[in-house]
Each structure stands twice: as C-alpha cells, then as structure tokens.
Amino acid sequence: MGQEQTRTDALHAGREGRDAVAGETLRDACRTYARALGGRSRAWVVAAPDVADVARRLGIDPTAVAEPLGGTPIRMHDVRTLARRRDEAPAAERIPLAVDVSLTSALGCPAGRLGADVALASLDRVVCQSGCGMAMVGLRREALQGRDGCGGMADAASALPVPDGQRLRALAAGMATFDERRRRANDVAQVMAAYLRCHPAVLDVRYPGLTDDPSYEAAAANLEDGFGPAVDVLVDADVAWRAVGRGVDGSVDLCGRYVPGATASRVQRLATAAGGTWLRVECGCGDARELVAAAEALLRP
C-alpha cells in the first residue's frame, strides 16, 4: 500500500511539475510577443486550427484581416496607413484593424506600435510544423480598453482555449531558436532576391528588401530584422512548368524537405499573369549558397 501511494504521489508530482513548466512556457511566450508588438500590447497563445478561426472567435470577419506582407506578387502594406484610414472614420463606425503577421511573425512586424488593434499569427514557423494548432493573438492598449470597435475583445481573447502540454513543449523548443531562424531566413531571402534579379530566365522580381522595389520604403518602416522570407519571381510559362510543373500541388522543395521555419526552402506556383507566371521562393534558414545552386539547377533550360 505504501509503495502504491508513493507511485501515485510521484505521478501527481510529475504532472504538477510538467504543468508548471507548461504554464511558465505559456507566460514567457505571451510576454515575448507582447513586447514585440509594442504599444503596451497584451498577447495570448491559443489553441486554434488557423488564424481565420481565431478571428471569427474574436468577432472579426476573417476577410477583413489584412496581411501587412502578402499578396501576389508580394508587397508591403503600410500598417500606419491602414491605421490612419481607420482613424478617419467616425468613432462610432470604426472597425478593428486586424492584421495577420504569420509570414513575418510578431517579432518581425511590431503591429501594435504601428497602429493595428489586433495582431494574429500562426505559430507553424515557430514550431516547424504545418497545421500546428496554435496561434498568437495580440491586442494593443487601445483595443484592450475597448476602443475602435474592440469592446469585449480582451475578454474573448482570454476565453480562447490554451494549447495542451505537448504543444506547449514544442512551443518552448521552437521559441528557443526561432528568432535566429527567422533572421537567417530573411538574410537568405535577401541573397536569393539579388541572385534572381540577375537571372536570364527571370522577367521580374518582387522583394521588399530590394531598394528599387515598390514596397521598399513601407517595408523599411514596418519590418524589423530583415524583409521577410518570401521572394516572388515572374518567369515564362514554360520555365514555370519546367521548374514546378511536376511538383506536388505546383510546388517543389529545395535543399531538403520543406517544413515551415526550418532549413529547407520551397518554390511554389502562385498565379498566371499577363507576362508569364509568378513563382514564390519561400526561403528557409539553410545555407544561401546551396539554395542559389539549387535554384540555378531548377531554372536551367
């Protein structure tokens, strides 16, 4: 009986210890994101299938959530400009300015400081897992106070489900290396953009880190530690077919098996344009020289 009770006590102690570690992980992640978002923001890490689901639970129309860095071809939408447009509306008619910073992460785009009421992000890149089931929610101070159509939103965010212990352990491991991986992927993308703009098979390149890109000034004012991991290139339709036509769902992996936030990169067909086909190179945090060599082989006639 004594041995059985000892085992039971040990199990309870172990569970309580794991719960304490998970709780501290959650608090650390929330504090990190709140500081990154700026503007006296508050952040939550929640269990959710995607950003759209979180938006709906907060009472936000998912189609109204803006991507500061996104679109085809990729461009930077100045969050400060979007905030000014919100402020120009009568106070009673304002709707929350919600942005999806999944591509840059909250660490790369201080959305609250720039004027966004709500910042949302998938945490797939943090934990290197597609569909990880976790998202970040950030509310700036004015939203916490219920201004600009955000009444009750802080309570709604607090009521969202918390990830389980297994997911939180994956989050703790991912957070330990994510900032370094994020910065490295941005650096790799900068190298990739410079290489692709000189390639004879490439008709156009869009990357906000290039000084002559239409989004460069907005990106320089909105992003930190680089200009994001995605480079868009316009190529002839035949080149696009040779590059990704035989891939899975119009995409091919470069320098390993692509996983969000990890070392490998991916080339994906985006859309057909008047002058050709847009492809997106989503850069991982691997070796830039290896990626350039792989892209050269992919685009070779």
Side-chain angles (χ1 to χ4, degrees):
M1 184 72 176
Q3 290 180 343
E4 196 171 312
Q5 183 63 51
T6 299
R7 283 196 296 270
T8 301
D9 291 344
L11 285 172
H12 282 306
R15 189 178 301 113
E16 289 172 359
R18 289 193 297 271
D19 289 346
V21 171
E24 187 57 34
T25 294
L26 190 62
R27 287 189 290 273
D28 285 347
C30 292
R31 284 193 292 262
T32 297
Y33 287 126
R35 286 195 301 268
L37 290 166
R40 298 184 184 177
S41 300
R42 183 180 174 192
W44 293 260
V45 171
V46 302
D50 50 40
V51 164
D53 178 77
V54 178
R56 282 191 289 268
R57 291 178 182 228
L58 294 176
I60 299 170
D61 180 356
T63 64
V65 178
E67 282 187 297
L69 186 63
T72 304
I74 197 162
R75 60 170 296 190
M76 187 75 212
H77 299 271
D78 195 330
V79 178
R80 300 168 305 173
T81 300
L82 298 176
R84 282 197 295 269
R85 291 175 185 167
R86 176 204 57 212
D87 294 342
E88 289 169 356
E93 298 175 11
R94 292 176 189 169
I95 61 173
L97 172 55
V99 298
D100 180 353
V101 294
S102 297
L103 187 58
T104 62
S105 88
L107 305 184
C109 181
R113 196 182 310 147
L114 295 167
D117 297 302
V118 186
L120 306 170
S122 162
L123 298 183
D124 287 4
R125 286 179 174 81
V126 177
V127 300
C128 298
Q129 178 185 339
S130 297
C132 75
M134 289 186 289
M136 183 279 302
V137 181
L139 301 181
R140 71 168 181 154
R141 178 180 59 183
E142 289 79 0
L144 293 169
Q145 296 170 345
R147 292 168 53 182
D148 298 327
C150 296
M153 198 169 289
D155 290 338
S158 297
L160 292 173
V162 174
D164 59 31
Q166 182 177 354
R167 287 194 173 106
L168 288 175
R169 287 191 290 274
L171 178 64
M175 290 289 288
T177 61
F178 177 64
D179 197 35
E180 180 182 351
R181 288 186 282 118
R182 175 184 68 87
R183 292 169 186 257
R184 176 62 182 163
N186 291 348
D187 291 343
V188 171
Q190 189 78 43
V191 173
M192 196 63 184
Y195 158 73
L196 288 170
R197 72 183 306 176
C198 300
H199 197 286
V202 172
L203 305 175
D204 195 7
V205 176
R206 294 294 177 85
Y207 183 65
L210 298 173
T211 56
D212 58 352
D213 188 272
S215 292
Y216 174 75
E217 290 187 6
N222 281 250
L223 301 179
E224 297 182 349
D225 310 315
F227 294 87
V231 182
D232 287 357
V233 293
L234 183 67
V235 297
D236 182 81
D238 291 338
V239 174
W241 169 251
R242 288 199 306 271
V244 301
R246 288 178 289 274
V248 178
D249 297 327
S251 66
V252 295
D253 296 347
L254 296 178
C255 303
R257 185 176 66 86
Y258 170 80
V259 176
T263 57
S265 301
R266 177 177 63 180
V267 181
Q268 179 181 10
R269 181 192 293 111
L270 292 183
T272 301
T277 300
W278 283 103
L279 304 178
R280 173 163 296 172
V281 184
E282 187 172 330
C283 298
C285 58
D287 190 297
R289 293 168 297 182
E290 293 181 5
L291 179 56
V292 166
E296 175 63 30
L298 194 71
L299 295 172
R300 189 176 299 143

